[in-house]
Amino acid sequence: MLTNAPIAPTIPVTDLQKAKDFYTQKLGLVLEKEMPAGITFKAGNGTKLYIYKRGPSKADHTLASFLVTDVEAAVDELTQKGIVFEQYDFPGLKTNKKGIAVMSDEGEMGAWFKDPDGNILAVGQEI
């Protein structure tokens, strides 16, 4: 039933304007629809991201991952825009000085960063 349905993450934020500025100016997403309660952005391949005003998120995990063809280039570009990438050193997940982890067993590379509300986002690449 949902095999071919696009998916659109929904992320809570405390300040819609601050989040709107972050997602458009820092991440380069295109504003699609703005309503008093929330904002929808266009992302790649017809996908969307919706943010809405609410109290702070309690999530301590990745809420959305942007799939890119070159994670190193994405990290470099976002770093130039002021994005700070997280540093992790867990069993099976260790980031390099740029914040990129190679998960060869899973065939992926990834890097994690936070939005102004502390929501964890990622850029990822299949390898």
Side-chain angles (χ1 to χ4, degrees):
M1 176 176 165
L2 299 178
T3 302
N4 294 313
I7 191 165
T10 300
I11 298 177
V13 299
T14 57
D15 184 326
L16 277 175
Q17 185 60 51
K18 189 175 185 179
K20 175 184 167 184
D21 293 345
F22 175 82
Y23 284 93
T24 57
Q25 295 171 14
K26 299 282 187 181
L27 302 188
L29 298 184
V30 176
L31 180 71
E32 180 178 78
K33 186 176 182 181
E34 189 168 359
M35 301 152 289
I39 301 170
T40 302
F41 300 96
K42 293 179 187 178
N45 296 325
T47 59
K48 300 175 189 234
L49 174 71
Y50 179 72
I51 61 171
Y52 66 101
K53 186 168 174 56
R54 186 180 165 187
S57 173
K58 295 180 172 107
D60 62 354
H61 59 277
T62 307
L63 295 178
S65 184
F66 296 90
L67 305 177
V68 298
T69 56
D70 185 342
V71 77
E72 295 232 11
V75 166
D76 289 344
E77 183 178 334
L78 291 169
T79 298
Q80 289 176 2
K81 292 184 175 188
I83 301 294
V84 176
F85 285 85
E86 299 296 299
Q87 292 292 320
Y88 295 123
D89 189 1
F90 303 129
L93 181 72
K94 180 168 176 56
T95 53
N96 65 18
K97 71 178 193 169
K98 285 186 174 184
I100 299 170
V102 177
M103 299 152 290
S104 55
D105 290 347
E106 298 173 27
E108 296 179 11
M109 293 173 67
W112 295 263
F113 60 97
K114 294 180 180 177
D115 76 1
D117 281 284
N119 294 308
I120 302 170
L121 307 171
V123 290
Q125 171 189 345
E126 291 183 0
I127 52 173

